[in-house]
Amino acid sequence: MVPSTPKSDLSSSYDVIVIGAGFAGLTVARDLAFKGKKVLIIEARDRIGGRCWTAHTGKDSKVEIGGTWVHWQQPHVFSELQRYGLDDFEETMAFPENCESTAKESRSQPAIVSDPAEGRVMMEQLEGLMLKFFDVDGQGGRSIIPFPFSTASSVKQNPDYLELDKLSVSDRVAQLEGCTQEQQSMLSTHAASFYGIAPEKASFTEVLHTHALCNFDPAMIETATMKYKLAKGTTAFALAILEDYKGDRIFNSPVTSITQGDGDFPVTVTLRNGEQYLSKTVISTVPINVISSIVFDPPLSALRTEALSTGVTPARADKLLVCTSTELKNGFNVSCEGGDMPYASGFTDGSHGDHTLLTLLVHPDNSLDRSDENIRLVESLRPAGIQVETAYGHLWSDDPYAGGVMPVRGPGFLQKYNDEIRKPHGNVYFCGSDFADGWRGFISGAFEDAYRVTREILRQN
């Protein structure tokens, strides 16, 4: 729990009010305060970090409940880590060579050990199919997204980007010649698996964009997105930024409405408890998934409302962390797709004290933190069993201040919605990882967009 500024020290009006104390909110507040602005942060939770959260589970042990992995190929986060001397990492070995692999498609079926040779053949086949999937230009997609950190620059250099964005993952797979029905099904599922949503709901260019961020190198995707964790944790990182911030803060206070009018302080922010604060400018870092929980007066445009409600789909949201005393010396991973299992997949994720830590990626809306049955189901993920000692989870899909994790853009989003969602609504700016051009949905994207909005506000004021 982080303390609020004492009420007696709060002002009734500010230059800037920042809604949300995730990485974007903390950064934009820090940087505007550095520039002499009078800033107030308002956070709905009693903690900072947003969709990142380090839970301390013992004297020397912790687990990352939310966003976890970083990499120096994510430039903004790495720069900030070096700024605070936190660029010390722990490694996740999700798929080590010769690791034990199983598959369990349903609750009633037993786990089946995967043949390593068959697995290698399948992965080689998938790699070949993915190369065909990306190769829309004879250059592996390189000419389509030449600037993965600038959508506008990429579109300017190659307008085909917008045309290809109209395709879903399923649409692109259907274009490939010489693929069997089985290969098409396998490719559709695999291409959308990074986000964990149906292939028809994800834009083809959303997947190509991640490929571009990883320098069009398939081997880099795992390394850049699920290998390196912060040794001191994401919460320690957020606290370092908060310590640098010179301004006021209010925690445990959800915002219910933002009203714009006239005068020197034209924006009124109303909290759930009825308190109101005035500001010249408001920055909302509320995730796209839950912006609709705030009442705007005047209301948001019809196009922006449509973009937030139907233009995106929340990625697979939930994560269960299990500590096991079972010896898994060669590593372990499991696939659970295709049936009624609550989990999609799982893998070894380092150690937790004397035990091994398993990370399970979970389909939304499963009561992991309240269902002993779902947690005990972990024990059946390998034929020889898994001894569950402790489990930690958080239902991000059921979190009223998150609504899941990153929103995945659907077909046609760029041309129809992208400019609309990034522009200000009067004196209200929208900021956060969800709006980033580069590593959308990652901590680095939060920093990138905080820098953008900071520039825009300083230009206007």
Side-chain angles (χ1 to χ4, degrees):
M1 182 177 292
V2 181
S4 299
T5 301
K7 274 195 176 183
S8 58
D9 293 340
L10 292 173
S11 174
S12 61
S13 59
Y14 291 85
D15 294 324
V16 182
I17 292 177
V18 178
I19 302 172
F23 281 100
L26 291 170
T27 303
V28 75
R30 176 198 67 187
D31 292 351
L32 288 170
F34 278 163
K35 290 293 186 178
K37 301 296 184 183
K38 185 179 178 183
V39 183
L40 169 67
I41 293 176
I42 300 175
E43 167 58 48
R45 299 181 175 94
D46 63 357
R47 62 170 182 83
I48 61 174
R51 292 175 292 193
C52 295
W53 173 23
T54 309
H56 290 269
T57 57
K59 183 180 178 182
D60 298 311
S61 58
K62 59 188 180 303
V63 292
E64 294 291 348
I65 299 294
T68 299
W69 293 283
V70 298
H71 193 272
W72 38 95
Q73 196 148 317
Q74 300 168 20
H76 306 296
V77 69
F78 193 66
S79 175
E80 292 281 349
L81 285 169
Q82 290 191 312
R83 174 177 183 153
Y84 293 108
L86 293 171
D87 52 333
D88 184 20
F89 305 106
E90 297 175 351
E91 290 188 46
T92 292
M93 296 294 289
F95 305 103
E97 190 174 354
N98 299 319
C99 80
E100 181 182 343
S101 299
T102 67
K104 182 176 171 66
E105 293 185 0
S106 73
R107 293 172 182 265
S108 58
Q109 291 179 334
I112 299 172
V113 176
S114 301
D115 185 309
E118 288 182 4
R120 282 193 294 271
V121 170
M122 180 177 289
M123 285 308 300
E124 288 173 4
Q125 184 182 14
L126 269 174
E127 287 172 6
L129 290 170
M130 287 298 292
L131 289 175
K132 291 178 66 176
F133 175 78
F134 289 130
D135 193 21
V136 288
D137 57 353
Q139 301 178 48
R142 287 172 176 80
S143 74
I144 307 301
I145 309 181
F147 306 108
F149 290 94
S150 175
T151 300
S153 296
S154 290
V155 170
K156 183 178 180 180
Q157 181 154 322
N158 192 342
D160 287 347
Y161 190 175
L162 295 179
E163 289 303 308
L164 287 168
D165 186 62
K166 296 176 182 178
L167 299 177
S168 69
V169 168
S170 296
D171 293 335
R172 172 57 187 155
V173 169
Q175 291 180 341
L176 301 180
E177 298 179 356
C179 291
T180 66
Q181 191 68 39
E182 181 182 359
Q183 287 175 326
Q184 286 189 341
S185 177
M186 181 171 64
L187 179 55
S188 290
T189 301
H190 180 72
S193 65
F194 185 81
Y195 303 108
I197 67 173
E200 63 272 14
K201 291 187 175 182
S203 164
F204 161 64
T205 60
E206 192 83 316
V207 183
L208 180 60
H209 179 244
T210 302
H211 191 49
L213 288 167
C214 294
N215 200 31
F216 298 92
D217 179 0
M220 271 303 300
I221 292 179
E222 179 188 336
T223 302
T225 63
M226 55 184 300
K227 186 175 179 69
Y228 296 103
K229 298 188 290 186
L230 304 185
K232 292 188 177 179
T234 56
T235 295
F237 189 15
L239 286 169
I241 301 171
L242 180 66
E243 193 172 314
D244 231 359
Y245 162 61
K246 309 304 179 188
D248 294 340
R249 59 210 195 186
I250 300 174
F251 291 94
N252 247 339
S253 299
V255 169
T256 57
S257 69
I258 301 173
T259 304
Q260 300 188 65
D262 300 318
D264 294 336
F265 299 93
V267 191
T268 302
V269 175
T270 303
L271 310 186
R272 182 181 291 172
N273 63 9
E275 292 179 4
Q276 293 186 326
Y277 294 89
L278 305 180
S279 185
K280 296 176 181 177
T281 301
V282 165
I283 303 172
S284 167
T285 67
V286 176
I288 281 179
N289 301 333
V290 291
I291 286 178
S292 60
S293 64
I294 296 176
V295 175
F296 290 86
D297 182 13
L300 301 179
S301 70
L303 186 60
R304 193 192 301 261
T305 301
E306 182 182 311
L308 301 177
S309 60
T310 62
V312 296
T313 302
R316 180 170 54 219
D318 300 329
K319 182 164 72 170
L320 178 67
L321 300 154
V322 174
C323 303
T324 172
S325 58
T326 303
E327 186 177 4
L328 299 166
K329 59 183 179 180
N330 293 324
F332 173 75
N333 66 69
V334 59
S335 172
C336 302
E337 295 283 13
D340 63 352
M341 292 289 286
Y343 321 121
S345 60
F347 48 88
T348 47
D349 190 6
S351 61
H352 184 270
D354 296 331
H355 297 143
T356 297
L357 180 66
L358 294 179
T359 288
L360 294 161
L361 302 179
V362 183
H363 296 298
D365 306 319
N366 285 280
S367 302
L368 295 177
D369 56 353
R370 297 186 295 272
S371 172
D372 186 65
E373 177 192 359
N374 280 342
I375 293 171
R376 289 299 166 190
L377 194 59
V378 175
E379 297 174 344
S380 68
L381 294 181
R382 65 195 288 263
I386 293 174
Q387 183 62 48
V388 175
E389 298 294 335
T390 54
Y392 308 90
H394 182 70
L395 299 178
W396 292 103
S397 58
D398 197 39
D399 186 321
Y401 310 122
V405 287
M406 70 177 77
V408 183
R409 299 178 176 193
F413 187 96
L414 287 181
Q415 190 163 33
K416 189 172 184 181
Y417 302 125
N418 193 56
D419 290 342
E420 182 72 12
I421 66 164
R422 284 163 62 92
K423 71 182 185 183
H425 174 60
N427 293 300
V428 179
Y429 290 74
F430 296 89
C431 174
S433 179
D434 295 351
F435 303 92
D437 261 358
W439 284 97
R440 270 192 303 276
F442 285 76
I443 302 172
S444 195
F447 289 119
E448 174 201 324
D449 212 53
Y451 303 155
R452 172 184 70 89
V453 172
T454 298
R455 288 195 305 271
E456 290 180 3
I457 289 175
L458 292 176
R459 285 195 200 111
Q460 294 298 320
N461 299 281

